[in-house]
Amino acid sequence: MATRMYAELAIIGGGTGGCAAALAAAQSGKTVIMTEQTDWIGGQLTSQAVPPDEHPWIEQFGCTASYRRFRQGVRDYYRRTMPIADTVDPHQPFNPGNAIVSRISHEPRTALAVLHEMLAPYVHSGRVRILYGYAAVSAETSGDDVVSVTVRKAGTEDGGEITLIAPYFLDATEEGDVLPLAGVEYVTGAEARAETGEPHARDGEADPADMQAITYCFAMDYIEGEDHTIAKPAQYEFWKQYKADFWPDQQLSWAGLVPHTLEPIRYSLFPDGKSFSLWVYRRIADRSQYADGVYASDITLVNWPQNDYWLGPIIDVSPEERARHLENAKQLSLSLLYWMQTEAPRPDGGKGYPGLRLRADVVGTEDGLAQSPYIRESRRIRAVYTVVEQDLGTECRTDGKAADYFDSVGIGCYRIDLHPSTGLRTYIDVSCYPFQIPLGSLLPVRVNNLLPAGKNIGTTHITNGCYRLHPVEWNIGESAGHLAAFCLEQGVKPREVRDSRELLAAFQARLTAAGVELKWPAIHAV
């Protein structure tokens, strides 16, 4: 018999959006139970170990106030706990990793510490309870409402189950796990152009199994003169010779493609003045910014083209196939490290960098890989409104801006950036305008009391490519948390909020008061 627990909001999944939702609901005075499969809340920020991907204006505008507090919390954490080098300008925004891709590139365990701090008042008061190591296994419904969701402790078959009962449920899992359990209508994979009219949608028929690559990220540093070579991975010989038809060379090489032009590009490990340095691309600790002796080396996060895994999906497949693809993805990442340690060409004509050291402590695992793979694409609800490329793509818009949604609940900005897919298709990377998040994309077409709180909103395969990034997922989760709280207070259903001019105005005023930006100033495309 499963234990029963009650709250006003049950958030299944403690990812980036889940944490933002829990904060919003708790700040609104609501009781929250949040579950998380891994040891770390935070999702792509922490257990997936991906530094934030953000837009060029993030320091001034273009995110929620709570996400801005998170960013400042990261900077404060380093200044509080680390001796910073005298050469670092205290008046400039601090970028811990001084990376190419992110203005706030930092270690995943730092993000975890900041999230714990932000949630601490509500956790300590008992308003928020977090259940670690639990995954959803079933749901009970009645008509168009979800009655309960049962979660199970990892590693248990009988017992270890908790049935969560709440008036509102938020699916903040990385793959939209609650949707099939609760019978919520959803889609996966790539829609057909004939279905959505999107210029970059799939030719021919839709393919629900055609999803973006996943990646098992890992952290490493470099100790010159030492040998930290790992044991040869079991699949190394396969990955050493593997080459996709759309790739210019073996995947384990310094060759790649420029995503938006598909022109060949040469990578290098360390900066050499000739190639694109992968070392500084997602560096999460730049040792030059700290006092001598704090870091023995820079630390870089490996989320690179070479360890994108696209040989099969992990969503809506058998448990055996899922396990096989997850293991293959791990083997690819370990093989990349082993190749770099033993065979990667060096500028001096030699081979291998044995001083590369896998930093398991940075990601909180024994094998050195992130606790979860980086999931770029989830199940997506069939929504009251589905965002399509025509709403924001620069090729589609003649007015020089993205669609202005009357029901905006936030904003975001990133290129439409799709990595190679399990349909063995190459990058889709196209320009778009800074966009809004329509409330309609958070509303299932039928179910009343379940809301998406992450990458599972009403987007397409194409538009998911720009709605999947950290600040946008945070905004989605935060708005979903506020929406559930608002509906509880008003005694209305989420779809009624969108359908009523008065309720919608009141809800948008609530978001604005909470620091959620609903519109962009006049800026250019990315």
Side-chain angles (χ1 to χ4, degrees):
M1 185 71 178
T3 301
R4 298 164 77 86
M5 294 179 62
Y6 301 83
E8 289 170 293
L9 267 76
I11 302 174
I12 313 302
T16 301
C19 289
L23 277 167
Q27 288 165 354
S28 300
K30 304 300 177 282
T31 57
V32 176
I33 297 172
M34 183 168 71
T35 69
E36 169 53 38
Q37 292 189 50
T38 71
D39 295 334
W40 288 1
I41 58 171
Q44 56 180 327
L45 284 166
T46 59
S47 60
Q48 297 176 34
V50 182
D53 286 298
E54 300 173 337
H55 57 73
W57 308 281
I58 193 70
E59 301 293 351
Q60 290 79 38
F61 50 81
C63 67
T64 74
S66 65
Y67 183 75
R68 197 168 299 284
R69 286 196 296 273
F70 165 78
R71 299 179 84 254
Q72 188 58 46
V74 168
R75 289 171 169 150
D76 290 345
Y77 177 88
Y78 281 97
R79 293 193 181 278
R80 257 194 350 256
T81 62
M82 302 281 195
I84 306 298
D86 294 339
T87 53
V88 174
D89 188 343
H91 303 294
Q92 293 298 315
F94 184 57
N95 187 346
N98 203 19
I100 294 173
V101 75
S102 175
R103 290 164 176 77
I104 192 71
S105 184
H106 58 278
E107 296 170 69
R109 52 189 172 180
T110 300
L112 179 67
V114 174
L115 290 172
H116 279 159
E117 236 177 66
M118 294 179 75
L119 284 165
Y122 312 107
V123 171
H124 286 266
S125 70
R127 191 176 295 171
V128 172
R129 182 166 181 179
I130 304 173
L131 305 179
Y132 290 94
Y134 282 87
V137 293
S138 65
E140 180 186 355
T141 61
S142 176
D144 296 334
D145 292 284
V146 179
V147 175
S148 66
V149 174
T150 297
V151 296
R152 179 183 296 153
K153 185 77 168 179
T156 63
E157 292 298 330
D158 299 317
E161 290 190 352
I162 300 175
T163 295
L164 305 177
I165 300 170
Y168 278 92
F169 295 86
L170 272 59
D171 185 343
T173 62
E174 301 302 319
E175 301 169 39
D177 294 341
V178 184
L179 305 183
L181 297 176
V184 180
E185 293 82 358
Y186 69 90
V187 298
T188 63
E191 296 89 348
R193 186 177 303 137
E195 177 185 357
T196 66
E198 296 170 302
H200 291 90
R202 186 182 175 94
D203 290 327
E205 296 183 355
D207 185 354
D210 186 5
M211 307 177 196
Q212 284 196 69
I214 64 172
T215 306
Y216 262 105
C217 303
F218 60 91
M220 63 181 186
D221 60 9
Y222 182 72
I223 310 299
E224 180 69 40
E226 296 184 6
D227 187 345
H228 296 279
T229 304
I230 63 172
K232 183 178 179 180
Q235 294 183 17
Y236 180 69
E237 293 302 328
F238 170 82
W239 289 113
K240 180 182 173 182
Q241 59 79 36
Y242 173 73
K243 176 186 178 300
D245 290 341
F246 56 81
W247 209 249
D249 202 341
Q250 272 72 28
Q251 196 165 350
L252 301 188
S253 71
W254 295 132
L257 296 172
V258 177
H260 62 284
T261 66
L262 300 182
E263 296 174 339
I265 186 174
R266 293 297 299 179
Y267 298 116
S268 61
L269 181 57
F270 299 114
D272 62 5
K274 302 175 183 178
S275 308
F276 182 91
S277 169
L278 291 167
W279 186 261
V280 297
Y281 179 46
R282 292 186 182 275
R283 182 172 52 191
I284 54 177
D286 175 4
R287 70 188 298 256
S288 70
Q289 299 193 113
Y290 304 89
D292 289 345
V294 173
Y295 288 97
S297 159
D298 292 351
I299 304 174
T300 196
L301 196 286
V302 181
N303 173 24
W304 299 348
Q306 292 95 329
N307 61 329
D308 275 358
Y309 178 81
W310 53 65
L311 290 187
I314 60 171
I315 295 175
D316 288 354
V317 296
S318 70
E320 295 76 18
E321 184 174 353
R322 176 184 172 87
R324 177 168 59 85
H325 288 310
L326 289 173
E327 177 59 24
N328 291 349
K330 288 184 175 182
Q331 283 288 310
L332 171 57
S333 287
L334 292 171
S335 294
L336 171 59
L337 174 61
Y338 185 77
W339 174 79
M340 289 190 291
Q341 291 173 324
T342 61
E343 297 193 59
R346 299 197 311 257
D348 63 4
K351 289 186 177 182
Y353 298 85
L356 291 174
R357 180 173 60 169
L358 189 61
R359 291 294 301 271
D361 58 314
V362 172
V363 296
T365 63
E366 292 184 6
D367 64 8
L369 302 179
Q371 296 181 28
S372 297
Y374 180 27
I375 304 295
R376 296 181 173 89
E377 189 169 336
S378 170
R379 298 176 181 90
R380 307 182 295 277
I381 64 165
R382 288 202 177 275
V384 168
Y385 186 86
T386 299
V387 179
V388 292
E389 184 182 354
Q390 297 93 310
D391 289 354
L392 49 102
T394 56
E395 295 180 22
C396 306
R397 306 293 300 179
T398 59
D399 56 357
K401 60 182 181 179
D404 185 14
Y405 301 121
F406 76 94
D407 60 343
S408 173
V409 293
I411 59 176
C413 182
Y414 204 76
R415 289 178 64 86
I416 296 174
D417 171 16
L418 282 76
H419 285 230
S421 71
T422 56
L424 299 183
R425 296 190 298 150
T426 190
Y427 293 106
I428 299 172
D429 188 300
V430 294
S431 175
C432 70
Y433 292 107
F435 51 83
Q436 297 171 345
I437 304 165
L439 175 58
S441 69
L442 274 65
L443 304 176
V445 292
R446 179 184 58 83
V447 176
N448 294 318
N449 66 332
L450 184 140
L451 297 169
K455 295 183 283 288
N456 50 353
I457 65 169
T459 57
T460 64
H461 175 70
I462 297 298
T463 56
N464 167 74
C466 59
Y467 276 76
R468 64 180 174 83
L469 287 310
H470 306 64
V472 185
E473 183 182 340
W474 183 290
N475 193 152
I476 291 166
E478 184 172 350
S479 295
H482 277 298
L483 179 60
F486 181 81
C487 289
L488 284 168
E489 294 163 6
Q490 299 294 323
V492 297
K493 297 175 182 178
R495 284 193 297 277
E496 293 176 329
V497 176
R498 186 175 187 265
D499 292 341
S500 164
R501 180 179 300 178
E502 292 76 16
L503 286 172
L504 179 60
F507 178 57
Q508 289 176 321
R510 179 195 190 106
L511 292 177
T512 299
V516 177
E517 299 175 27
L518 304 184
K519 292 185 180 294
W520 281 96
I523 51 179
H524 301 291
V526 293

